[in-house]
């Protein structure tokens, strides 16, 4: 247990909470532990890693709409391993920042209310982040809290890229492409500058492939395009989300098919994507092991759409110097990476089979005109860095 100043990060997913524990000093924030609460399993438990040690602690709290009991018990459990009185700030990942939030902020009642107003734009993630913010505020009213926004990294995109071919008035009202997974893409952009500065200074596409997935086109480390647009439904197919969809399908389902808005939302967020196509699972690990043709078709569609989106983004960038695979699928599933890259041979992508199988940092051959990387992402580190930057600016 340490008495040094601590920083917590809360990375809220639709059904999980990733917790980062960081020690703060003059050189920044350094990770000293991490935790995970999975809200989809009962009873709730906190999976905690502290250095080489791993702990699992069952929680008595039930969860639900009010997370005050969960946060109180989580703080109590963490207090067995860390001095929680030394916590200086809690930094939160918030998925949608709209047009107002283009960088990290310190949270107060006004900003929390403004974030709440954006819930309709990210109904899967925004409510959970707000519950956590309010739960921490209830438990520690004077503890500083900050928010880091997934959309903020994409504020460097041009108005042309962000525009839909809709009436101009709607664009002016905020109906535009925002982009998501910005914290992950920001981490990769920074990490690539360290690992391969020449490539990082050029044209790179980052493939954040997990249960939620998106691609980001970088030029000189800045976002120029993103597969996700107005919502986290857009872009490539995901575990249970549909990806890009002809809006005529929605009109047909709401009209002749008589679907309700709630039913349609449930289908698009929870019953589509790899799960919908295969009818088996939304997890690529399950699908890769399954010999049924529906499983193979889901994987093939996934890799086809990713390769196609990389081709589109190459047009946005005007060329391509590097591809980075990251997140759960991108970091750990060689077969998915190989299938995507095989469809990109026309771009000059050539993969080293052995390097890909071992998930080496660079998986392309020396003859490849595009360098392909595998780089683990760390959204919590970006949240921690941004939380410290907010406090330092006050």
């Amino acid at each position: 247990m340490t008495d040094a100043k601590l920083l917590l990060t809360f990375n809220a997913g639709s059904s999980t909470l990733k917790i980062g524990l960081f020690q703060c000093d003059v050189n920044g924030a350094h990770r000293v532990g991490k935790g995970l609460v999975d809200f989809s399993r009962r009873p709730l438990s906190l999976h905690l890693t502290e250095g080489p040690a791993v702990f699992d602690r069952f929680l008595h709290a039930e969860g639900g709409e009010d997370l005050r009991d969960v946060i109180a018990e989580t703080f109590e459990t963490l207090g067995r391993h860390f001095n929680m009185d030394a916590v200086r700030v809690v930094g939160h990942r918030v998925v949608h920042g709209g047009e107002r939030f283009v960088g990290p902020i310190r949270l107060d009642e006004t900003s929390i209310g403004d974030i709440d107003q954006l819930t309709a734009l990210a109904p899967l993630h925004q409510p959970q982040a707000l519950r956590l913010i309010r739960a921490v505020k209830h438990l520690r009213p004077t503890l500083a809290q900050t928010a880091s926004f997934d959309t903020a990294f994409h504020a460097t995109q041009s108005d042309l890229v962000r525009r839909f071919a809709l009436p101009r008035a709607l664009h002016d009202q905020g109906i535009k492409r925002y982009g998501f997974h910005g914290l992950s893409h920001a981490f990769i952009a920074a990490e690539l500058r360290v690992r391969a500065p020449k490539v990082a200074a050029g044209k790179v596409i980052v493939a954040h492939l997990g249960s939620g997935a998106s691609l980001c086109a970088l030029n000189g480390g800045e976002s120029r395009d993103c597969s996700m647009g107005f919502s986290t439904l857009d872009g490539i197919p995901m575990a249970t989300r549909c990806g890009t969809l002809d809006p005529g399908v929605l009109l047909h389902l709401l009209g002749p098919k008589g679907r309700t808005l709630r039913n349609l939302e449930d289908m698009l967020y929870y019953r589509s994507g790899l799960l919908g196509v295969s009818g088996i699972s939304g997890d690529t690990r399950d699908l890769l092991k399954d010999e049924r043709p529906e499983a193979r078709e889901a994987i093939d569609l996934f890799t086809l759409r990713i390769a196609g989106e990389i081709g589109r983004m190459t047009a946005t960038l005007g060329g391509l110097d590097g591809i980075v695979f990251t997140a759960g699928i991108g970091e750990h599933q060689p077969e998915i990476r190989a299938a995507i890259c095989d469809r990109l041979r026309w771009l000059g992508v050539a993969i080293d089979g052995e390097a890909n199988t071992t998930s080496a940092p660079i998986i392309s051959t020396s003859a490849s005109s595009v360098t392909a990387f595998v780089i683990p992402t760390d959204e919590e580190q970006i949240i921690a860095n941004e939380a410290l930057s907010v406090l330092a600016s006050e």
Side-chain angles (χ1 to χ4, degrees):
M1 185 178 290
T2 176
D3 289 328
K5 290 181 178 179
L6 294 178
L7 182 156
L8 295 185
T9 61
F10 282 177
N11 184 345
S14 57
S15 61
T16 62
L17 169 61
K18 296 177 184 177
I19 303 169
L21 296 105
F22 295 82
Q23 185 172 311
C24 304
D25 58 30
V26 293
N27 296 313
H30 313 280
R31 190 189 289 271
V32 293
K34 59 182 178 180
L36 175 70
V37 178
D38 186 345
F39 291 101
S40 67
R41 297 186 176 184
R42 292 292 186 273
L44 295 180
S45 66
L46 173 63
H47 179 77
L48 177 65
T49 302
E50 181 186 1
V54 176
F55 308 88
D56 282 290
R57 299 283 187 265
F58 286 109
L59 304 179
H60 297 290
E62 293 291 332
E65 290 297 315
D66 188 336
L67 296 179
R68 288 183 293 181
D69 289 345
V70 173
I71 294 305
E73 195 170 353
T74 296
F75 268 61
E76 180 184 351
T77 303
L78 292 175
R80 301 173 189 173
H81 307 276
F82 301 92
N83 177 13
M84 298 303 286
D85 291 333
V87 175
R88 181 185 181 194
V89 59
V90 176
H92 297 266
R93 172 198 175 210
V94 177
V95 165
H96 215 303
E99 295 182 281
R100 174 176 176 181
F101 300 113
V102 295
I105 62 165
R106 181 162 180 160
L107 290 163
D108 56 25
E109 285 299 330
T110 299
S111 59
I112 292 171
D114 290 340
I115 291 169
D116 198 358
Q117 292 297 311
L118 297 168
T119 295
L121 301 182
L124 199 65
H125 298 89
Q126 205 89 339
Q128 191 78 332
L130 286 163
R131 292 183 193 110
L132 290 166
I133 290 167
R134 288 165 175 152
V136 172
K137 186 174 179 61
H138 174 81
L139 181 67
R140 298 279 186 92
T142 61
L143 181 60
Q145 295 192 77
T146 64
S148 295
F149 299 92
D150 257 335
T151 49
F153 182 68
H154 304 295
T156 53
Q157 293 177 11
S158 70
D159 182 74
L160 180 64
V161 167
R162 303 185 79 177
R163 183 175 289 276
F164 291 116
L166 292 170
R168 298 187 69 86
L170 293 177
H171 179 85
D172 296 341
Q173 293 167 22
I175 308 299
K176 60 181 67 175
R177 301 178 61 87
Y178 291 97
F180 298 91
H181 288 134
L183 300 179
S184 175
H185 294 310
F187 178 86
I188 295 300
E191 186 69 12
L192 195 61
R193 283 194 289 270
V194 175
R195 297 188 182 204
K198 288 185 179 180
V199 176
K203 300 168 181 178
V204 177
I205 293 176
V206 180
H208 176 108
L209 306 179
S211 59
S214 72
L215 308 179
C216 179
L218 304 176
N219 194 347
E222 292 190 340
S223 175
R224 295 290 179 252
D225 203 346
C226 186
S227 59
M228 283 182 172
F230 179 72
S231 77
T232 58
L233 285 172
D234 198 13
I236 58 179
M238 291 162 261
T240 63
R241 284 175 260 171
C242 59
T244 299
L245 186 66
D246 180 348
V249 173
L250 305 181
L251 295 176
H252 182 72
L253 292 174
L254 289 170
K257 290 295 185 181
R259 295 285 187 98
T260 65
L261 184 61
R262 183 177 294 277
N263 175 269
L264 188 61
E265 181 180 70
D266 176 72
M267 184 193 75
L268 297 177
Y269 275 106
Y270 299 107
R271 295 187 286 114
S272 297
L274 298 176
L275 174 62
V277 173
S278 69
I280 298 167
S281 174
D283 192 322
T284 54
R285 292 169 296 185
D286 297 333
L287 297 174
L288 287 170
K289 292 184 293 185
D290 199 303
E291 296 182 357
R292 283 174 284 183
E294 295 87 352
R296 174 46 55 185
E297 186 175 40
I299 292 292
D300 288 346
L301 181 62
F302 185 56
T303 58
L304 172 68
R305 297 298 183 221
I306 293 170
E309 189 67 5
I310 289 174
R312 185 190 71 78
M313 287 188 170
T314 299
T316 298
L317 292 172
L320 188 61
D321 301 306
I323 298 172
V324 180
F325 291 97
T326 192
I329 297 171
E331 295 170 26
H332 302 297
Q333 296 185 14
E335 187 173 343
I336 298 292
R337 295 194 299 259
I340 294 167
C341 291
D342 185 59
R343 295 182 182 278
L344 297 173
R345 286 180 293 175
W346 63 276
L347 272 176
V349 178
I351 295 300
D352 181 312
E354 183 177 350
N356 183 48
T357 299
T358 59
S359 298
I362 295 178
I363 60 172
S364 52
T365 68
S366 58
S368 180
S369 59
V370 177
T371 307
F373 301 84
V374 177
I375 301 178
T377 193
D378 192 344
E379 294 171 319
E380 288 78 36
Q381 184 66 58
I382 294 294
I383 299 169
N385 294 346
E386 291 191 346
L388 287 184
S389 73
V390 168
L391 296 190
S393 67
E394 295 179 345

